[in-house]
Amino acid sequence: MCNSSSKASYFQCVKSAWQQMTCTAGTECRTVNNKAVCADPNAPVESSTSTETKVACDTNNSTMCDASDKSAFYMCTDKFWTKMQCDGANVCMARDGKTACVDQATADAPVLPCTVANATQCAPDNQKIFQICIDDYWTNSTCADDNYCLLRGDSAVCVDKATANAPVLPCTTAKATRCIDGAPQKYQFCYDGYWSNSTCTNNNYCLFRGESALCVDKATAEAPVQPCTKANATRCVDEDELVYQLCYDGYWSNSTCDTGNVCRMPDTGKNAVCMDKDEAYLSITMSTLHEPTPFRGTISMGVSVRDALSWGPSVVLGALAIAFGVGI
């Protein structure tokens, strides 16, 4: 409809709300056959072909649905009812004296009253639809993509199909987590008094440690359950030099060194470290070598130490000369 306060603008109904639009330069808004059009102000006014009789109204901007055309409605403009069209495939719906353009599913839904504003619930006959309490009536809305409506506590939420179809099991500790038997990559968390399903990301697996469920790599999830006592202590794994273990929540949990690194225990009683593979192998080789022992000749000519000590210096030197062929 044309804007009564500005000839160069008009109003258009977009998603159930009026938006002011502006005509192109050199044109102004005119009402032709009950529609707003932008035309040359100097052009002759087209005669209306409509046979509808104008009906007076009392309150400007009030609306009502057209009983003969479900996609149309009337708006009170300048004290007369003007026929308007809903956007796209929307249809007119009247609830509690108010008119709105809505999708067909919402319009076809039973008119059910509600008392708590903005309360939500799942539709009883369609798992993809949830309802919101607006203006004292339940109004339908649809979950996006492949999600489905699930009622948890006092609220409706849109979740994936697996979560929506999971058994409804109550829980007592908010935010508690647990793994699911038979579904190693899924876990549950306590939300609004009920267990709700969720899935580990990055192809991880659920592992229950202490009082919580964790998402870890497959090797850690399948490792034997071994208790530990010193928090954050680390150690290497004998069977695999790429893997080390961390003492977390009273249990040894597996983790893997970065590419090209291996696990080593530098000193007894110290934590494990991931180090470059070549450096690790070199350190092992060096640790097995010993400093060379200087050569020391052994003299033995069948003479006892007591006899040798009883000889004089000249005799001893002579014996050495004979042994090594050295002249004195």
Side-chain angles (χ1 to χ4, degrees):
M1 65 179 179
C2 294
N3 185 355
S4 59
S5 60
S6 173
K7 292 183 178 181
S9 64
Y10 61 96
F11 291 101
Q12 182 175 348
C13 183
V14 179
K15 294 183 179 180
S16 303
W18 288 109
Q19 291 189 10
Q20 182 171 319
M21 316 296 286
T22 303
C23 290
T24 57
T27 63
E28 64 181 27
C29 184
R30 290 183 178 180
T31 301
V32 179
N33 294 332
N34 291 327
K35 293 183 179 180
V37 295
C38 292
D40 184 346
N42 298 319
V45 178
E46 298 181 24
S47 59
S48 175
T49 59
S50 174
T51 59
E52 292 185 2
T53 303
K54 285 196 172 185
V55 178
C57 54
D58 296 325
T59 306
N60 279 337
N61 298 326
S62 60
T63 56
M64 67 177 180
C65 292
D66 184 350
S68 61
D69 183 358
K70 65 180 182 180
S71 64
F73 63 97
Y74 289 96
M75 172 173 281
C76 185
T77 306
D78 294 332
K79 300 299 181 178
F80 287 95
W81 289 112
T82 302
K83 189 174 183 177
M84 315 291 286
Q85 290 292 132
C86 291
D87 291 338
N90 286 348
V91 296
C92 185
M93 181 185 72
R95 293 284 168 87
D96 196 27
K98 297 180 180 180
T99 302
C101 288
V102 298
D103 59 78
Q104 188 68 57
T106 300
D108 292 342
V111 180
L112 300 173
C114 56
T115 56
V116 180
N118 298 321
T120 56
Q121 67 177 23
C122 294
D125 56 350
N126 191 326
Q127 204 175 6
K128 289 187 67 66
I129 293 179
F130 64 96
Q131 298 175 322
I132 308 173
C133 184
I134 300 176
D135 292 332
D136 299 327
Y137 289 93
W138 289 113
T139 301
N140 283 12
S141 193
T142 305
C143 290
D145 301 325
D146 293 327
N147 288 343
Y148 293 79
C149 185
L150 177 68
L151 187 67
R152 282 292 180 259
D154 296 327
S155 301
V157 292
C158 289
V159 297
D160 61 76
K161 188 174 183 179
T163 301
N165 292 335
V168 179
L169 301 173
C171 56
T172 56
T173 304
K175 298 183 180 180
T177 55
R178 68 181 186 181
C179 297
I180 302 175
D181 292 337
Q185 292 184 292
K186 292 185 178 294
Y187 65 96
Q188 293 180 323
F189 61 95
C190 184
Y191 175 77
D192 234 353
Y194 293 90
W195 288 111
S196 296
N197 286 14
S198 194
T199 304
C200 291
T201 58
N202 300 324
N203 203 32
N204 284 340
Y205 288 72
C206 185
L207 176 68
F208 193 77
R209 284 291 181 263
E211 298 179 351
S212 301
L214 309 170
C215 285
V216 297
D217 61 75
K218 187 176 182 180
T220 300
E222 295 177 349
V225 179
Q226 298 176 329
C228 57
T229 56
K230 187 178 179 180
N232 298 322
T234 55
R235 68 181 186 182
C236 295
V237 177
D238 294 336
E239 297 80 7
D240 191 343
E241 64 179 1
L242 301 179
V243 176
Y244 68 94
Q245 294 181 321
L246 170 69
C247 184
Y248 176 79
D249 224 357
Y251 293 90
W252 288 110
S253 297
N254 282 18
S255 194
T256 305
C257 292
D258 292 337
T259 302
N261 289 350
V262 293
C263 183
R264 289 291 182 266
M265 298 289 293
D267 294 302
T268 304
K270 298 291 182 67
N271 280 340
V273 295
C274 287
M275 60 190 304
D276 180 83
K277 181 187 296 185
D278 295 335
E279 182 182 345
Y281 290 160
L282 180 61
S283 65
I284 292 175
T285 303
M286 295 298 293
S287 66
T288 59
L289 298 177
H290 302 283
E291 292 292 330
T293 302
F295 173 76
R296 294 180 181 178
T298 301
I299 303 172
S300 179
M301 296 178 293
V303 180
S304 67
V305 175
R306 180 182 299 176
D307 291 339
L309 292 176
S310 66
W311 294 347
S314 59
V315 176
V316 173
L317 290 176
L320 290 174
I322 294 171
F324 295 100
V326 179
I328 298 177

